[in-house]
Amino acid sequence: MSERKSNIGSYEQRLPNFDWSLAEQELGYKKGDKINIGWYLSDRNCQKGLGMKLALIHEDHLGNVRRYTFNDMRVMTNAIALYLQKLGVQPGERVCIFMDRAPELYFTFQGILKMGAVAQPLFSAFGDESLFTRLDNAKTTAIFTQKKHVAKVRKILGTLPALRHIIIVDADESTTLKDRELAYNMEKQPRVEQFDAYPSTAETPSVLHYTSGTTGQPKGAQHVHYSIISQYLTTKWVLDLQPDDIYWCNADPGWVTGTSYGIIGPWVAGITQVVLDAGFSAERWYQFIEKHKITVWYSAPTAIRLLMREGTDIVRKYNLKSLRHLASVGEPLNAEAVIWSKEAFGLFFHDSYWQTETGSIVITNYPGMTIKPGSMGKPFPGITATVLDTKTFEPIQKSGTVGLIALKPGWPSMFRTYWNNQAVYDSKFKNGWYLCGDRASIDPDGYFWFVGRDDDVINTGGHLVGPFEIESALLEHPAVAESAAVGKPDPVNMEVVKAFVALKPGFEPSDDLDLEIMNFIRKKLSPLAMPQEIEFVKSLPKTRSGKIMRRMLRAKEWGEEIGDTSTLEND
Ligand code: 6R9
């Protein structure tokens, strides 16, 4: 495997004269042409002769495996598109997907796009309140769901007049259908050989992804069909997917990672992917990699840290030699985790940075590039990224200075607006730059180093301290499994650091340990970065996509409103 060439080749050589038209050419697209993501993921692959290649290998929590070729995917998504058309769903209307990671989720997503409607994926674990906020905001017309989740829809139906159809994908003879409910059995539905995909063009809306901001209700980031251009090229160059790969993205499509890189990216590239519809378990995950001979794995820091907690002995029980490339996204990937992955799997996890709003990876570590553990890497070719001064919003020239991560608008997958919220969209731009809402610095070699959310940086005595730095250091302490650092009010220093710490099995909270950890940080970083208080917790509050909700912890310290917690996992 070592002589395999990466798709990107040399990052430096890709930079000069880069143009997105390179991806357009590879996809056979010319400006002004029709471009439909649904068609690209299955029909085009079949046209290219990949009809009999496996597109999806799906394993449920009981270990049952279902397999689908690109041709299966084509005719089944055709059937879904036709079904929606016959129901009277109009192009441009929002159709929600609210189910577990069943094959039906992956295929209804494509069927919706094929007939020109907008796909609105939501985490099936959302409660009725969170579901209502998003369906109400989007004026959603139809929803695909499963029996186990339909009660939540029924509960809010009375106040959702726009919601005309509730389509239950696993209904059987024994299911009593209620108001507005329909049964759709994807496996039993006749296959539809021919369906003319909706003639969407570059700017036609495609996916509406809700994302929780710092304040207020979640906002719907509106994407368009042209996003496929960046999703395709980043999949090729960053995830390095090649024809013989077996790819696993363990993100739920309720999160943008699960659509951009769990549906669109791999399938437009004609790659076989595996899906595991089961919760986290180190044994199960390693078994899954071994069984399906997974080669490329896209994961997230929280999952990696959970694996770390289980140690390397368990890794050795499995044959994971098939793995050849690993990547991570979602929150800072601590240097410790990068180093651990090399020890455990013989491979580094490659950190990648992007957002719901950016639609695709914007800053990352490329295959073959020298990795600086703890750094997010460098901007994708075609992405102009910098850090801006927090007051003037001008690019910072001096390397190492912390500023606001900002991107020059114009890459294909950038969101086009927040649904019905142009004002918040507009507020994200300063001096012609899009502000990501994060802080970072750039080192003399051009590597980006994440500091924290724009609102998470701790200002203690006029000194900015990044929670990431503290958390990374805390993780190096042998007793610490997980941690979060936030600012808490202090009469003299404005803020001081408070750390929430979950301990590894076998360690108990004590005053001695408390002091030991504080000193450990003081020595490792500085007296300013040293937590003035450590609160031992069983686990940290996280979003469903695995991000630690520092905002919640911080709000508690400041006696503030906690805000929207609908994506909270362990509530
Ligand atoms: C894809 C996704 C976006 C926010 C982003 C930042 C954080 C994502 C990161 C990272 C540090 C990374 N984030 N990747 N922080 N290092 N590699 O995560 O989208 O859910 O919208 O979150 O997540 O704060 O602004 P989304």
Side-chain angles (χ1 to χ4, degrees):
M1 288 243 174
S2 57
E3 62 290 350
R4 185 190 282 266
K5 279 211 184 71
S6 71
N7 287 330
I8 189 168
S10 150
Y11 170 72
E12 269 70 30
Q13 283 175 15
R14 293 289 189 181
L15 288 175
N17 310 318
F18 173 88
D19 199 300
W20 290 107
S21 62
L22 176 78
E24 294 181 353
Q25 280 159 24
E26 288 191 20
L27 294 183
Y29 168 83
K30 288 189 299 310
K31 288 259 176 300
D33 279 358
K34 291 184 283 189
I35 182 167
N36 185 306
I37 295 176
W39 179 84
Y40 265 99
L41 304 193
S42 58
D43 298 59
R44 182 170 177 271
N45 283 312
C46 293
Q47 277 182 12
K48 284 174 60 189
L50 297 178
M52 298 314 286
K53 180 174 176 174
L54 281 177
L56 174 64
I57 303 170
H58 180 277
E59 188 170 319
D60 70 13
H61 66 285
L62 298 170
N64 300 315
V65 176
R66 289 203 251 169
R67 293 184 168 80
Y68 304 87
T69 63
F70 278 97
N71 191 53
D72 293 335
M73 194 156 89
R74 182 182 70 82
V75 294
M76 289 171 123
T77 58
N78 278 351
I80 294 163
L82 186 65
Y83 174 77
L84 286 172
Q85 250 184 10
K86 286 190 173 161
L87 277 182
V89 171
Q90 298 298 312
E93 288 187 335
R94 276 74 53 213
V95 178
C96 176
I97 305 159
F98 184 59
M99 56 178 115
D100 297 348
R101 281 176 284 174
E104 284 81 356
L105 186 167
Y106 293 82
F107 289 9
T108 51
F109 180 88
Q110 298 174 59
I112 294 165
L113 296 179
K114 266 194 176 174
M115 56 75 62
V118 174
Q120 182 193 12
L122 295 177
F123 287 115
S124 61
F126 274 153
D128 54 296
E129 181 90 36
S130 308
L131 182 63
F132 173 77
T133 315
R134 291 157 177 84
L135 296 181
D136 182 46
N137 185 264
K139 298 286 169 279
T140 307
T141 302
I143 183 169
F144 282 97
T145 191
Q146 292 163 316
K147 282 186 291 188
K148 65 193 270 210
H149 300 298
V150 76
K152 294 184 267 192
V153 187
R154 286 177 184 163
K155 202 164 165 197
I156 56 178
L157 194 55
T159 41
L160 292 171
L163 190 64
R164 299 197 300 268
H165 311 292
I166 300 151
I167 306 154
I168 306 173
V169 297
D170 56 352
D172 50 37
E173 295 73 36
S174 66
T175 317
T176 316
L177 297 173
K178 299 203 170 159
D179 185 23
R180 301 180 229 178
E181 289 174 8
L182 299 157
Y184 183 88
N185 187 316
M186 186 176 90
E187 304 289 352
K188 292 199 184 129
Q189 195 74 16
R191 297 155 76 99
V192 174
E193 281 298 331
Q194 179 57 38
F195 180 85
D196 290 332
Y198 179 74
S200 40
T201 52
E203 293 304 303
T204 306
S206 56
V207 183
L208 186 65
H209 253 300
Y210 276 77
T211 171
S212 300
T214 335
T215 53
Q217 293 288 2
K219 306 171 293 287
Q222 180 67 73
H223 289 281
V224 295
H225 281 267
Y226 191 58
S227 70
I228 196 171
I229 299 294
S230 338
Q231 286 150 348
Y232 168 71
L233 202 63
T234 49
T235 297
K236 266 192 82 173
W237 288 4
V238 181
L239 301 178
D240 198 42
L241 294 186
Q242 305 189 10
D244 60 340
D245 275 317
I246 305 289
Y247 167 68
W248 183 29
C249 167
N250 63 248
D252 185 307
W255 180 32
V256 68
T257 305
T259 55
S260 290
Y261 298 104
I263 299 180
I264 304 174
W267 279 333
V268 64
I271 304 298
T272 303
Q273 58 166 334
V274 289
V275 166
L276 177 62
D277 186 12
F280 175 84
S281 139
E283 296 253 359
R284 183 74 197 268
W285 280 27
Y286 294 145
Q287 251 169 30
F288 187 65
I289 294 171
E290 181 182 78
K291 175 170 168 190
H292 297 288
K293 300 193 173 51
I294 292 165
T295 55
V296 179
W297 180 19
Y298 198 20
S299 195
T302 301
I304 300 164
R305 286 196 292 265
L306 285 170
L307 295 172
M308 256 171 98
R309 191 157 73 172
E310 307 279 333
T312 44
D313 285 353
I314 162 172
V315 179
R316 309 277 170 252
K317 282 170 51 188
Y318 298 90
N319 179 354
L320 308 180
K321 294 270 180 293
S322 57
L323 288 172
R324 69 168 189 88
H325 188 58
L326 314 178
S328 162
V329 62
E331 47 167 344
L333 183 63
N334 316 70
E336 242 241 320
V338 178
I339 294 161
W340 177 81
S341 94
K342 181 79 177 165
E343 186 192 320
F345 309 113
L347 300 163
F348 285 119
F349 264 99
H350 291 63
D351 193 12
S352 68
Y353 168 88
W354 59 291
Q355 308 178 298
T356 303
E357 288 86 345
T358 68
S360 63
I361 295 164
V362 290
I363 300 173
T364 190
N365 293 281
Y366 304 86
M369 175 172 131
T370 305
I371 293 207
K372 299 192 186 187
S375 161
M376 310 195 295
K378 298 185 178 191
F380 191 79
I383 298 284
T384 308
T386 190
V387 294
L388 301 180
D389 181 272
T390 51
K391 292 202 177 64
T392 62
F393 297 109
E394 291 297 332
I396 293 171
Q397 305 302 338
K398 197 165 161 275
S399 60
T401 310
V402 175
L404 305 171
I405 305 181
L407 309 170
K408 263 270 161 328
W411 67 96
S413 67
M414 183 182 183
F415 74 133
R416 299 305 198 256
T417 190
Y418 287 120
W419 177 262
N420 261 341
N421 208 340
Q422 188 66 22
V424 177
Y425 177 80
D426 292 341
S427 73
K428 295 269 180 165
F429 296 86
K430 291 276 185 303
N431 287 345
W433 292 94
Y434 163 69
L435 302 181
C436 297
D438 291 310
R439 294 186 186 220
S441 66
I442 308 173
D443 74 14
D445 300 325
Y447 284 70
F448 281 63
W449 295 79
F450 189 84
V451 173
R453 289 290 302 182
D454 187 24
D455 38 19
D456 270 346
V457 174
I458 304 159
N459 186 335
T460 173
H463 296 266
L464 296 183
V465 185
F468 176 46
E469 206 181 1
I470 302 166
E471 290 160 10
S472 298
L474 282 167
L475 278 184
E476 289 173 45
H477 190 279
V480 177
E482 271 194 319
S483 69
V486 299
K488 76 167 207 166
D490 182 83
V492 178
N493 289 304
M494 195 172 85
E495 280 184 293
V496 290
V497 177
K498 170 167 180 180
F500 293 83
V501 165
L503 294 173
K504 284 187 184 154
F507 290 91
E508 290 301 326
S510 71
D511 288 348
D512 282 353
L513 185 58
D514 197 289
L515 217 72
E516 189 192 307
I517 295 175
M518 285 182 186
N519 275 321
F520 182 75
I521 300 299
R522 182 174 60 81
K523 282 212 200 94
K524 263 216 159 344
L525 299 178
S526 71
L528 278 171
M530 183 184 83
Q532 303 290 315
E533 191 191 334
I534 291 177
E535 188 176 325
F536 292 105
V537 290
K538 282 223 154 45
S539 66
L540 294 163
K542 293 192 202 77
T543 65
R544 302 211 177 275
S545 48
K547 283 191 240 306
I548 293 169
M549 283 198 136
R550 288 186 201 88
R551 172 167 67 84
M552 246 185 79
L553 296 168
R554 188 178 188 280
K556 226 171 73 190
E557 296 306 316
W558 290 78
E560 291 167 357
E561 286 281 325
I562 288 174
D564 176 51
T565 56
S566 49
T567 52
L568 190 64
E569 165 118 59
N570 35 2
D571 52 356

